[in-house]
Amino acid sequence: MRQTTGMVIPVWYPDTMPIEAMEAVLAPCLVDVEPFAQRENVLVVVDGAPQAHVAAQRVQKRLDNFEILFKEQNEGKGGAVASGIERLLANPTVQFIVTRDHDNDHLANDALNLVRLAAQLQREAQSDCVMSIGRRVNVHRHLGFVRGEYEWMMNEVVFEAVKFARAREGKTVNTQFFAAYEPVPDMQTGFKCYTRATAQLLVDTLQRASQETPDWDVRRHGAEVPVIVETLLRGGTIGEVTRLAWENQPITTYDLAGRVQVKGTVLAWALRRADVPLAVARQLLCNAIARRTMAKEEKGLSDLLSLANWTLDQLSRYRGESVEPIGQIRLAEFF
């Protein structure tokens, strides 16, 4: 594994965060990487954050087991991951690329199981169009109720859109390699392993999205989901293995205030890429909201409807069509 694996860690911390605190979070992400990847193939990508660059340089001086790519212009997590992957793909010995977040929530030793699963998928599928996901044991427990509800709503809609597109072609999605967990994969976890083929697919997908839908800025917000969509639409295979996570995230830069636009951007892109008709997209959103416990509370339902209707509005604008907004979610009267 050490000879053939690269690792990308996208890094951005707010300038208000003390450099010492940045070091304290970043160093544990890197202290244990040496058994799993060679120094030149462990890449910290600092995404337009000069203070974080200073912190990374201090950690690098202390550990001396990784390289730094500093991007002067902030492009978001998707852009940072894509830039890191492009750098590592220049080395032909790198066959697998593991991505991990900068929040000290992904233990390096779990990367071994991700690479092992990706290699198994290659053998079983007889294809390089595969990727493995480090699945969290319980998303709600880890992220909190509200954020967990948003993630699962989004995961369900995206996965149903992909299945719809594949069925239209007379094909289906291979779910065997995550069937032990849930019917829907944990798409938005930041711990994944790509083959060279799917790593390049991530780069190409975000580049194409920027050209085709520039108003949505998918490159910024689409570090996790678009490559899954593209892999599955091309008949690729994804698998999951559980990984450890802190009971509470050590740090998060997730902004609740911008969640509608961030998640709606990726939702709209996925529905458009799968070529889901507006009426079908509307129903998929209704279905996912109906399954959310959060929708049983008035504000929770209102928030989820805001995300769904923002997504539909974006799709409508791109297609020059109209669709009725979702006003309420109808359920059976007894259950």
Side-chain angles (χ1 to χ4, degrees):
M1 173 182 174
R2 188 170 186 272
Q3 305 300 318
T4 60
T5 300
M7 192 175 290
V8 175
I9 302 175
V11 171
W12 181 89
Y13 301 118
D15 288 339
T16 54
M17 185 177 180
I19 290 178
E20 292 75 15
M22 297 180 191
E23 288 184 72
V25 175
L26 184 59
C29 298
L30 293 152
V31 68
D32 294 329
V33 298
E34 195 166 357
F36 306 103
Q38 295 178 322
R39 180 191 195 280
E40 62 270 20
N41 294 327
V42 178
L43 190 60
V44 166
V45 183
V46 181
D47 187 33
Q51 296 285 81
H53 188 204
V54 173
Q57 288 174 316
R58 291 184 181 182
V59 175
Q60 183 189 49
K61 184 176 181 180
R62 190 160 76 245
L63 299 179
D64 194 32
N65 62 355
F66 66 93
E67 301 289 339
I68 299 173
L69 171 61
F70 176 61
K71 294 169 59 68
E72 293 189 8
Q73 181 180 352
N74 179 279
E75 288 192 290
K77 183 179 175 183
V81 169
S83 296
I85 284 175
E86 287 185 289
R87 171 72 68 88
L88 291 183
L89 285 176
N91 181 350
T93 66
V94 172
Q95 298 301 309
F96 301 98
I97 296 179
V98 173
T99 57
R100 296 169 59 209
D101 286 348
H102 65 169
D103 57 5
N104 182 26
D105 192 45
H106 307 121
L107 303 185
N109 48 288
D110 280 331
L112 178 61
N113 290 329
L114 282 172
V115 174
R116 178 181 288 135
L117 177 57
Q120 179 194 349
L121 292 173
Q122 282 181 314
R123 294 193 305 271
E124 299 278 354
Q126 293 290 293
S127 169
D128 288 330
C129 191
V130 302
M131 58 178 289
S132 58
I133 296 173
R135 185 185 186 98
R136 294 161 290 191
V137 174
N138 187 314
V139 172
H140 286 83
R141 180 81 183 183
H142 182 55
L143 300 179
F145 177 70
V146 172
R147 188 175 168 191
E149 289 288 272
Y150 273 93
E151 286 211 2
W152 277 110
M153 173 190 168
M154 183 174 172
N155 292 348
E156 289 180 9
V157 173
V158 169
F159 198 58
E160 289 298 318
V162 169
K163 290 197 295 182
F164 177 91
R166 295 293 287 165
R168 187 173 49 209
E169 298 173 354
K171 299 176 181 177
T172 191
V173 175
N174 181 349
T175 66
Q176 293 173 230
F177 297 96
F178 59 87
Y181 303 106
E182 297 284 348
V184 175
D186 184 8
M187 296 187 187
Q188 296 170 72
T189 174
F191 207 176
K192 295 184 174 75
C193 178
Y194 305 98
T195 60
R196 288 185 68 88
T198 47
Q200 185 63 57
L201 192 58
L202 183 152
V203 174
D204 295 343
T205 299
L206 294 184
Q207 179 62 33
R208 189 166 59 253
S210 296
Q211 296 168 350
E212 295 176 352
T213 54
D215 295 345
W216 289 348
D217 202 1
V218 178
R219 183 173 172 86
R220 175 172 297 278
H221 304 306
E224 313 299 350
V225 173
V227 65
I228 295 176
V229 171
E230 201 66 42
T231 297
L232 295 177
L233 288 179
R234 292 173 182 237
T237 306
I238 62 174
E240 289 186 319
V241 61
T242 54
R243 55 98 170 175
L244 296 178
W246 287 96
E247 167 72 11
N248 296 300
Q249 285 186 298
I251 184 176
T252 178
T253 53
Y254 177 78
D255 182 9
L256 288 175
R259 63 191 168 195
V260 167
Q261 182 174 352
V262 170
K263 295 197 175 298
T265 290
V266 179
L267 270 174
W269 177 88
L271 290 164
R272 181 182 184 273
R273 174 64 185 88
D275 197 23
V276 176
L278 276 172
V280 175
R282 185 182 188 279
Q283 189 61 59
L284 293 183
L285 289 161
C286 288
N287 293 348
I289 293 175
R291 284 190 289 271
R292 302 273 57 84
T293 304
M294 181 176 164
K296 302 299 291 184
E297 188 266 332
E298 183 177 354
K299 185 179 186 306
L301 175 58
S302 176
D303 288 347
L304 293 176
L305 287 175
S306 294
L307 171 59
N309 285 320
W310 190 93
T311 301
L312 287 175
D313 181 65
Q314 294 298 307
L315 274 176
S316 298
R317 290 170 185 267
Y318 260 92
R319 292 184 175 170
E321 303 175 26
S322 61
V323 64
E324 182 182 356
I326 305 171
Q328 58 180 328
I329 301 296
R330 303 297 299 175
L331 302 173
E333 293 182 355
F334 300 99
F335 129 91

